Amino acid sequence: MKEVILPYEGREFYEIEVAGMRRVLPLLRVSEDTWIAYFDSLGDREFISRCAALLSERLKGCDILLTSESKGIPLVHEIASILGHQRYIVARKEVKPFMVNPIVTECKPVTSKEVIRLSIDGRYRKYLEDKNVGIVDDIVSTRETMAALERLVRLAGGRGYKKAAILLEGAIFDDVDYLGILPIFKGNR
C-alpha cells in the first residue's frame, strides 16, 4: 500500500478527472488536520456509465458481481449489464427480516460511525458458490468494506476473483483495479 497525501492549503474544492470527465469536489474537514474530497456518484448517470464501461473491461471473466449498498449499486448494475450478467448481489448494511440463513460479517467503513454488519441472504449462496466473483465499490478508502465483501464471498463458497473501484482514496492498493485516485489532504488551517 502506498499512501497518497497532499498538503492542505486552504482551498475549498479539488478537481479530479476520471474516465475523461472532470468533477469538482468539495473539500470536507474530517478531523483536526485532515480533509477529504467528497465524491458522491449517486445520480450522476453519465459518469457512472462511462466508469462502468471502463471497469467492465477489467472485470471480464467474473461469473457474478458483488457490491455493498448503496453507492455501489448503480455502478454494479451498469457493469453487469455490459458483461451480460443476469444477476448481481448486493450486500446489505444490516440483516433484514426476510433473509434466510444470512451470511454475515462485520466492518467499520470510514463513512460509518459504528461497526456495520454486511449481510447477504443465504439463498444467494447458490449464485456465489464455486464462482469467480468480481467485487465492486465506488471508492476504496481504508479497504474495510472491500475486505468484508471478500469475507462474504469466502463464507458463501466463492472465489474473490477480481476487485474494482472507481476511485482509491488516500492509498493505492495493488490488488484493486481503479480509474482514479483521491488524495487525502493534511495540514493546519
Side-chain angles (χ1 to χ4, degrees):
M1 174 182 86
K2 177 186 170 197
E3 289 188 334
V4 182
I5 299 172
L6 294 178
Y8 178 71
E9 299 168 336
R11 62 182 162 165
E12 294 181 35
F13 298 96
Y14 179 74
E15 188 173 334
I16 188 168
E17 183 175 333
V18 177
M21 302 178 78
R22 293 187 181 278
R23 294 295 183 266
V24 177
L25 310 175
L27 285 178
L28 303 178
R29 189 178 206 167
V30 294
S31 72
E32 183 64 31
D33 69 342
T34 306
W35 286 258
I36 63 167
Y38 179 69
F39 173 78
D40 184 1
S41 62
L42 286 176
D44 193 341
R45 195 193 60 72
E46 179 185 27
F47 186 80
I48 289 295
S49 293
R50 181 130 359 132
C51 291
L54 294 170
L55 289 174
S56 66
E57 288 296 316
R58 300 173 189 194
L59 290 163
K60 285 184 177 174
C62 295
D63 299 313
I64 192 163
L65 303 174
L66 172 70
T67 193
S68 65
E69 64 179 5
S70 60
K71 289 186 191 175
I73 295 172
L75 177 64
V76 82
H77 182 89
E78 188 78 16
I79 294 170
S81 178
I82 293 166
L83 293 176
H85 292 186
Q86 296 304 305
R87 173 174 295 280
Y88 56 87
I89 306 293
V90 177
R92 307 298 289 264
K93 291 184 180 175
E94 62 181 293
V95 177
K96 298 292 186 180
F98 59 78
M99 292 180 172
V100 176
N101 299 318
I103 302 167
V104 182
T105 191
E106 293 184 342
C107 67
K108 187 175 182 313
V110 71
T111 56
S112 179
K113 293 180 181 177
E114 299 176 10
V115 171
I116 61 170
R117 298 179 72 206
L118 278 184
S119 59
I120 58 173
D121 193 315
R123 293 175 283 196
Y124 294 164
R125 181 183 304 271
K126 65 184 176 188
Y127 300 118
L128 299 170
E129 197 168 37
D130 295 321
K131 299 291 192 288
N132 291 329
V133 181
I135 301 171
V136 180
D137 209 349
D138 64 328
I139 299 177
V140 176
S141 298
T142 61
R143 211 175 180 291
E144 282 287 318
T145 303
M146 186 70 66
L149 291 170
E150 289 176 279
R151 285 192 300 277
L152 285 176
V153 168
R154 283 193 306 276
L155 290 168
R159 293 177 295 279
Y161 184 64
K162 294 181 179 180
K163 295 177 276 299
I166 295 173
L167 298 169
L168 300 182
E169 181 177 53
I172 297 173
F173 302 100
D174 293 335
D175 64 335
V176 179
D177 276 310
Y178 60 93
L179 300 178
I181 297 172
L182 280 176
I184 290 178
F185 299 85
K186 294 275 192 179
N188 296 315
R189 189 164 222 183

